[in-house]
């Protein structure tokens, strides 16, 4: 099943619906009508291995629209584009779930949540698991890079824990390897302030403002993934994060981005053989 085929299916659905007047139609009912028309295209796009259902994806999309009515103010093309990306990656839209839809200047931005990043990175089997945690004042925390890499975190009793100081993420590999990364909260906030267009656009209403810990975990996991032995297919899937399709026939483009380090890891040894910032 190809992305071209599923995109063509959506294009046909759009053309069919656009021939019917929707003037004065309630935006939610309009979206519901379009989603119903594109069920065959969603089915075509869904990865068979995930066992997902087009009708369930449609229902979850409608629930998302109810939870965030601002999405109904966005173009129907960008909404359907986000649904297509969700289907192609086999990720269900759900706030703080595998993926979610964010309204941004009249368009819908498709974003992968930290759970979705973990799902994608672990699908091929080279990465067994990924875990992300926050470190608060009062916790016992020590990490060291180099030949004797160490990561140790003992949380303090709940009442004794203070503000967040660090986030870390680690991955267990099929070959027995262990990879981790640590970021101070100031590093994460700098990435948010510099590269998050939605946060710059709406500081109080953005997902960064409403769910800062989940977004911080996504940030550290996304950086950790650059060091993992993942396939080109998985890299391409993750590249769909924070993109928009204004026209269903055009490729998605990034509305939020951070510098990408190109890192090649030799599977089985964990040896980094290339490190180049673009």
């Amino acid at each position: 099943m190809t992305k071209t085929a599923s995109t063509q299916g959506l294009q046909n659905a759009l053309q069919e619906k656009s021939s019917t007047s929707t003037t004065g139609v309630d935006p939610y009912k309009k979206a519901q009508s379009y989603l119903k028309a594109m069920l065959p295209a969603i089915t075509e796009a869904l990865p068979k291995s995930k066992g997902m259902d087009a009708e369930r994806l449609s229902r979850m999309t409608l629930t998302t629209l109810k939870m965030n009515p601002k999405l109904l103010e966005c173009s129907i093309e960008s909404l359907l584009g986000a649904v297509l990306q969700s289907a192609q990656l086999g990720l269900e839209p759900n706030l703080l779930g595998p993926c979610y839809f964010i309204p941004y200047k009249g368009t819908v931005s498709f974003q992968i949540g930290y759970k979705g990043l973990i799902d994608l990175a672990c699908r091929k089997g080279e990465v067994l698991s990924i875990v992300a945690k926050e470190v608060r004042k009062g916790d016992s925390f020590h990490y060291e890079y180099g030949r004797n890499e160490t990561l140790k975190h003992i949380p303090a009793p709940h009442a004794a824990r203070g503000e967040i100081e660090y986030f870390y993420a680690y991955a267990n590999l099929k070959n027995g390897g262990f990879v981790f990364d640590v970021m101070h909260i100031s590093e994460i906030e700098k990435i948010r302030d510099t590269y998050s267009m939605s946060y710059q656009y709406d500081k109080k209403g953005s997902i960064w403002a409403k769910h800062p810990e989940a977004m911080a975990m996504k940030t550290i996991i996304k950086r950790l993934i650059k060091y993992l032995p993942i396939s080109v297919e998985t890299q391409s899937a993750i590249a769909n994060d924070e993109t928009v399709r204004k026209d269903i026939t055009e490729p998605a483009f990034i509305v939020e981005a951070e510098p990408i380090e190109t890192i090649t890891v030799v599977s089985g040894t964990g040896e980094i053989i290339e490190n180049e910032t673009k």
Side-chain angles (χ1 to χ4, degrees):
M1 198 63 59
T2 66
K3 292 185 179 182
T4 301
S6 53
T7 301
Q8 184 62 50
L10 279 179
Q11 185 180 1
N12 293 340
L14 277 171
Q15 290 175 343
E16 180 181 346
K17 294 303 296 180
S18 63
S19 63
T20 303
S21 175
T22 56
T23 304
V25 176
D26 175 82
Y28 178 83
K29 291 184 178 179
K30 178 181 177 180
Q32 190 177 37
S33 177
Y34 270 91
L35 286 168
K36 183 177 180 180
M38 65 182 277
L39 283 176
I42 295 177
T43 300
E44 182 183 11
L46 287 168
K48 303 303 180 184
S49 59
K50 292 295 292 180
M52 290 176 63
D53 179 81
E55 291 188 1
R56 173 179 168 82
L57 180 57
S58 178
R59 289 195 302 270
M60 295 192 74
T61 299
L62 291 172
T63 299
T64 298
L65 296 178
K66 287 182 178 179
M67 294 177 64
N68 191 350
K70 286 187 177 182
L71 290 168
L72 293 171
E73 300 173 11
C74 299
S75 69
I76 190 67
E77 291 84 2
S78 65
L79 172 62
L80 298 185
V83 174
L84 173 64
Q85 289 171 292
S86 177
Q88 289 173 337
L89 298 183
L91 300 176
E92 295 183 339
N94 183 13
L95 191 61
L96 300 186
C99 71
Y100 37 90
F101 304 154
I102 303 295
Y104 176 69
K105 293 186 177 181
T107 59
V108 178
S109 169
F110 173 82
Q111 299 202 20
I112 303 174
Y114 75 91
K115 295 177 183 177
L117 288 176
I118 293 173
D119 182 350
L120 291 170
C122 294
R123 280 186 187 177
K124 296 297 182 180
E126 292 299 317
V127 180
L128 298 181
S129 64
I130 296 177
V131 176
K133 297 285 185 181
E134 84 278 4
V135 179
R136 295 179 176 270
K137 288 184 178 179
D139 292 355
S140 174
F141 181 61
H142 173 75
Y143 69 97
E144 181 179 343
Y145 294 120
R147 293 182 61 84
N148 299 306
E149 292 192 332
T150 302
L151 177 68
K152 186 175 183 180
H153 177 210
I154 303 176
H158 181 74
R161 302 187 79 194
E163 296 179 353
I164 295 176
E165 295 185 313
Y166 296 90
F167 278 89
Y168 67 89
Y170 64 85
N172 294 302
L173 307 182
K174 182 180 179 181
N175 61 24
F178 175 81
V179 182
F180 73 87
D181 199 4
V182 179
M183 295 182 73
H184 189 268
I185 187 65
S186 62
E187 294 180 83
I188 291 174
E189 290 174 347
K190 183 177 180 180
I191 288 175
R192 176 201 65 190
D193 296 343
T194 305
Y195 301 108
S196 175
M197 296 298 108
S198 64
Y199 181 74
Q200 294 175 20
Y201 180 64
D202 185 5
K203 286 184 170 59
K204 293 183 178 179
S206 72
I207 193 168
W208 269 103
K210 294 179 178 179
H211 304 283
E213 292 182 24
M215 292 302 293
M217 284 194 282
K218 172 183 172 178
T219 301
I220 183 63
I221 290 172
K222 196 170 183 180
R223 194 167 85 166
L224 175 72
I225 285 176
K226 299 170 189 175
Y227 297 87
L228 302 181
I230 59 175
S231 66
V232 173
E233 179 183 353
T234 301
Q235 293 178 39
S236 298
I238 293 173
N240 282 273
D241 185 33
E242 301 175 354
T243 57
V244 163
R245 284 177 185 259
K246 285 189 175 180
D247 183 339
I248 204 66
T249 63
E250 298 295 327
F253 63 90
I254 295 175
V255 294
E256 297 189 59
E258 60 183 272
I260 299 299
E261 293 177 345
T262 302
I263 298 175
T264 304
V265 180
V266 179
S267 178
T269 66
E271 178 190 1
I272 298 175
I273 61 174
E274 182 182 5
N275 189 327
E276 178 184 5
T277 301
K278 293 187 177 181

